[in-house]
Amino acid sequence: MYPGTDLNHIRPEPCQSCLNILNCRIILFLFFLPQSPPPSPPSLTSTSNPPMMTSPDSPPVVSPSPCPAPPPSLPSSPVPSSPAPSSSSLPAPPSLPPTGEVMVLALGRKKQRVLIALSILPNLFLAFLLSSDPLITLSPPHHCHLPGPLLSLEALNTSLPWEKRERLGEGGGPSQCKQYVNGSQTAVVDCESGWDYNVTEGLRNNIVTEWDLVCGQYWLVPVEEVCFILGVLTGCLGLGYAADRLGRSKALLTSLTLTVVFGVLVCVSPYPSIFIVMRFCLAAASAGVYLTLYITRLELCEPSLRLLVTMLAGLMTVAGELLLLAVALGCQSWRGLLGAGAAPLTLFLSYGIPGVFPESPRWLLLSERSADMNSFSERRNSNRDVRDDESFTELDSESALFSHPHLSFPELFHSRNIWKNMCVLGFTSFISHGISHCYSSFRGDVRGTAPSFYWMYLLSVCAGGGAWLLLWVTVDRCGRRGILLLSMTMTGLASLILLGLMEYLSETAITVFSVLGLFSSQATASLCILFTAEIMPTIIRGSGVGAVLALGCVGRLSSPLMDLRNHYGYFLHHVVYSSLALLAVLSILLLPESKRKPLPQTLADGEQYRRPPLGRRRRDNVPLLATPNPET
């Protein structure tokens, strides 16, 4: 060092190591990989700094530069003879902290569409198991079996007592459950030799005709329908919770296996009691398959595809219901009909093969299973040598905080906004599922003319398909909440018009308003499930959608209960549902809007889905120098 040199007046020059670190950080955080090699570093000899003379025995003089010491991976004094570093020697840029949308896009467009198609295809055969109850429980016209050859209508009138049919118009006909004793018309007894059935619609051999579930044993038919609906309710709650805790893939494979097993057991049931128990288990397993596929399908889509994919799945279910009727006309046996639905589901057990139908990427993000997230950990593991730089510390900490694996039940109980949304949607689902039965049976209850079974079945199926097409056209344009409000309003208005003006309406007007109410109620029910799946966070999405579907099943219980009471009190039943429909219209105003918004992941994300303000927020009172709160 020259004598008289003051170190405090020397202007420090940035060292080469500091420049290297700064350049590396810019490249890493801007995720830009240069195509050409960087220029070679300048020589250490600088004309701006005078040379420093040191003796061999004196310690090295510390540079006054404020730059920190360079890390070992970035040398501060490269050898001039060494070649310039190439672009391949630089570390690869790190990936962003994985979010739900990032992990979905990482699948690739082709694989994403293949997985969506695989999740839609089982709906075609699930319709055989979930929509076959009207066919296998249809009670055809019947009368007591009489010995001898087939009797004509005049002979039946003389051998069977005459009774009035309450739901088949003002006329009457031969008794279905009574007969005269020994041909005399003095004493009447119950049927002694079984029944003869006049099957004109539906299956020729169903559980009613095979086990004679008529007259004194007819109560077993509504009991079977109630047990089937309760099975669906149990499957939605139990397997929906299992999908959240164990994973979508495990819940799907478990449900598929149980569906195939109980499908076979139902087909070989020898007695009504065994059939009812097996039917309950089959309904629970089938509901689990439907629910797990529904939420997995939605989690594989970005916001712009969710409605389209859900509509295609709904139309696939409608196609399955139409195919169900065609198969029923062909096989004419309830065992063959249920077997035709359970057997193809065996093929979908191949989803358990590794790589065929992987786990939902959004659920993996919350489960902290690093072995199943290789596509996002490989790049970070390959760059382990540059992880010592503090520039990665913030990324790692954010990723660790983002993927919270466990469900906090105290936090769930205090998530008021999530509970409010779930209660409103569950109440709407309860009304929409329960009131649809009122429209399908209104004409028979009021006018006393029961419509054809084929007419009512096709009308209900086509109304469901039309509802999905209407939702596809309008929901992305007008929003989920607006269309849900409109469809529930139409449901309530159609019900009130039928109840208040039924004495003045013609047969055509009753049919039109019944179809309108059936159409709008099915649109409301379908949109409720989609709305719930979009605003429930991933950590409880299976349980939330399952709870809303379960409340819909509670509404569906009114149909078999009314059949058990022979439709007595239908007017009061319809009035109650109409009043509740108007209340549901008001409660829908409390819901948020989920159109084109990302799916929430955690409970904190779900709490952010709040009702938008009815009017625009005024901005004239905002201070000029107001700054945003960093905590919000």
Side-chain angles (χ1 to χ4, degrees):
M1 180 180 299
Y2 293 105
T5 304
D6 188 4
L7 297 177
N8 296 325
H9 295 282
I10 298 177
R11 182 180 179 182
E13 293 291 336
C15 62
Q16 185 63 32
S17 62
C18 183
L19 293 177
N20 290 338
I21 294 176
L22 182 60
N23 292 335
C24 184
R25 288 183 178 180
I26 293 175
I27 293 174
L28 293 177
F29 283 101
L30 295 181
F31 305 97
F32 175 77
L33 186 63
Q35 301 297 329
S36 60
S40 60
S43 176
L44 290 177
T45 305
S46 177
T47 58
S48 61
N49 290 338
M52 298 181 183
M53 300 179 61
T54 58
S55 62
D57 298 334
S58 61
V61 179
V62 180
S63 174
S65 174
C67 299
S73 59
L74 295 173
S76 59
S77 56
V79 182
S81 60
S82 62
S86 61
S87 59
S88 59
S89 63
L90 292 177
S95 60
L96 284 170
T99 62
E101 307 301 328
V102 171
M103 297 189 74
V104 168
L105 293 177
L107 294 173
R109 290 290 184 182
K110 183 177 180 181
K111 186 173 183 180
Q112 180 191 24
R113 282 163 170 73
V114 170
L115 293 178
I116 291 174
L118 291 178
S119 66
I120 292 177
L121 189 58
N123 284 18
L124 183 67
F125 304 101
L126 284 176
F128 280 68
L129 304 179
L130 294 175
S131 304
S132 58
D133 230 31
L135 283 167
I136 65 176
T137 60
L138 179 63
S139 180
H142 54 276
H143 58 80
C144 296
H145 176 72
L146 300 176
L150 184 62
L151 302 179
S152 61
L153 181 60
E154 292 77 8
L156 290 177
N157 292 334
T158 59
S159 303
L160 301 175
W162 188 266
E163 67 178 12
K164 185 178 180 180
R165 309 286 178 82
E166 297 182 0
R167 297 196 61 199
L168 294 178
E170 298 179 356
S175 175
Q176 296 183 342
C177 302
K178 302 290 184 179
Q179 69 178 28
Y180 290 121
V181 178
N182 296 327
S184 63
Q185 300 184 359
T186 57
V188 178
V189 295
D190 294 334
C191 297
E192 299 176 345
S193 304
W195 289 264
D196 291 330
Y197 299 94
N198 182 22
V199 179
T200 58
E201 297 176 328
L203 295 171
R204 186 170 300 277
N205 179 25
N206 58 12
I207 62 172
V208 176
T209 59
E210 181 172 340
W211 291 319
D212 291 334
L213 301 183
V214 292
C215 298
Q217 297 295 319
Y218 179 74
W219 62 274
L220 286 174
V221 175
V223 167
E224 188 276 335
E225 295 175 350
V226 169
C227 290
F228 179 80
I229 296 176
L230 291 179
V232 175
L233 186 150
T234 304
C236 290
L237 293 178
L239 293 174
Y241 179 79
D244 289 334
R245 302 279 70 81
L246 303 179
R248 318 305 195 210
S249 181
K250 291 183 180 179
L252 176 62
L253 292 177
T254 303
S255 304
L256 277 172
T257 304
L258 294 177
T259 301
V260 173
V261 171
F262 287 115
V264 174
L265 293 179
V266 164
C267 294
V268 298
S269 298
Y271 305 109
S273 57
I274 299 178
F275 173 82
I276 292 175
V277 174
M278 294 298 104
R279 186 77 169 150
F280 173 88
C281 299
L282 177 62
S286 302
V289 176
Y290 178 84
L291 173 61
T292 309
L293 288 174
Y294 194 101
I295 59 178
T296 304
R297 185 187 312 120
L298 207 70
E299 291 173 353
L300 288 171
C301 301
E302 56 265 25
S304 60
L305 285 179
R306 289 200 298 254
L307 179 63
L308 175 63
V309 170
T310 307
M311 184 268 299
L312 292 177
L315 293 181
M316 182 64 72
T317 304
V318 171
E321 293 175 348
L322 295 176
L323 183 62
L324 170 67
L325 183 60
V327 174
L329 294 176
C331 70
Q332 292 295 323
S333 172
W334 67 271
R335 299 181 190 271
L337 185 66
L338 295 180
L345 291 178
T346 309
L347 301 175
F348 297 106
L349 292 176
S350 60
Y351 287 2
I353 300 175
V356 175
F357 197 80
E359 184 57 80
S360 169
R362 299 180 187 270
W363 186 85
L364 284 177
L365 188 61
L366 295 177
S367 64
E368 282 190 346
R369 284 173 169 80
S370 58
D372 296 329
M373 297 174 62
N374 293 330
S375 60
F376 295 94
S377 60
E378 287 178 354
R379 295 180 64 187
R380 294 196 299 175
N381 293 336
S382 62
N383 300 326
R384 190 64 64 180
D385 54 341
V386 298
R387 294 295 297 276
D388 296 334
D389 190 358
E390 61 181 4
S391 61
F392 291 97
T393 305
E394 184 177 358
L395 296 179
D396 292 342
S397 62
E398 290 180 359
S399 178
L401 292 175
F402 183 78
S403 57
H404 195 280
H406 301 296
L407 174 63
S408 174
F409 287 99
E411 184 181 359
L412 176 61
F413 292 147
H414 290 85
S415 301
R416 298 180 179 179
N417 195 44
I418 293 177
W419 282 106
K420 182 256 297 181
N421 296 334
M422 189 183 301
C423 290
V424 171
L425 289 170
F427 179 67
T428 307
S429 177
F430 167 77
I431 299 301
S432 59
H433 282 88
I435 203 172
S436 60
H437 171 69
C438 300
Y439 296 117
S440 60
S441 63
F442 186 83
R443 182 178 175 183
D445 292 332
V446 175
R447 299 299 189 186
T449 55
S452 170
F453 170 78
Y454 292 136
W455 162 254
M456 289 308 305
Y457 184 88
L458 292 175
L459 181 62
S460 178
V461 172
C462 294
W468 276 118
L469 293 176
L470 176 67
L471 295 179
W472 175 54
V473 172
T474 59
V475 166
D476 267 347
R477 291 176 172 82
C478 304
R480 274 65 165 162
R481 190 177 65 160
I483 299 302
L484 185 63
L485 184 65
L486 176 63
S487 58
M488 180 53 74
T489 303
M490 292 173 58
T491 302
L493 288 178
S495 180
L496 291 178
I497 291 174
L498 287 175
L499 289 175
L501 303 176
M502 60 180 178
E503 296 181 358
Y504 308 99
L505 296 177
S506 62
E507 293 287 340
T508 304
I510 289 179
T511 303
V512 169
F513 283 108
S514 297
V515 172
L516 178 63
L518 186 64
F519 174 81
S520 58
S521 63
Q522 293 201 15
T524 304
S526 302
L527 187 54
C528 271
I529 309 306
L530 174 63
F531 209 160
T532 306
E534 287 184 334
I535 66 176
M536 287 294 111
T538 302
I539 196 170
I540 59 168
R541 182 167 293 121
S543 302
V545 177
V548 174
L549 282 173
L551 289 174
C553 293
V554 175
R556 289 173 54 191
L557 285 175
S558 61
S559 175
L561 293 179
M562 289 294 294
D563 291 339
L564 187 61
R565 294 174 52 86
N566 200 16
H567 287 245
Y568 286 112
Y570 73 90
F571 186 83
L572 179 61
H573 170 262
H574 203 162
V575 167
V576 170
Y577 271 107
S578 301
S579 304
L580 294 179
L582 298 180
L583 182 61
V585 170
L586 299 178
S587 64
I588 290 174
L589 297 175
L590 303 176
L591 292 175
E593 180 55 62
S594 61
K595 181 179 68 174
R596 297 189 183 95
K597 292 183 179 179
L599 296 178
Q601 286 287 101
T602 61
L603 294 177
D605 297 336
E607 279 292 292
Q608 301 302 318
Y609 276 80
R610 301 180 182 273
R611 178 186 62 83
L614 297 179
R616 292 186 176 181
R617 187 178 302 174
R618 298 182 60 184
R619 298 180 180 271
D620 52 345
N621 295 329
V622 179
L624 181 62
L625 300 179
T627 56
N629 186 0
E631 296 180 358
T632 59

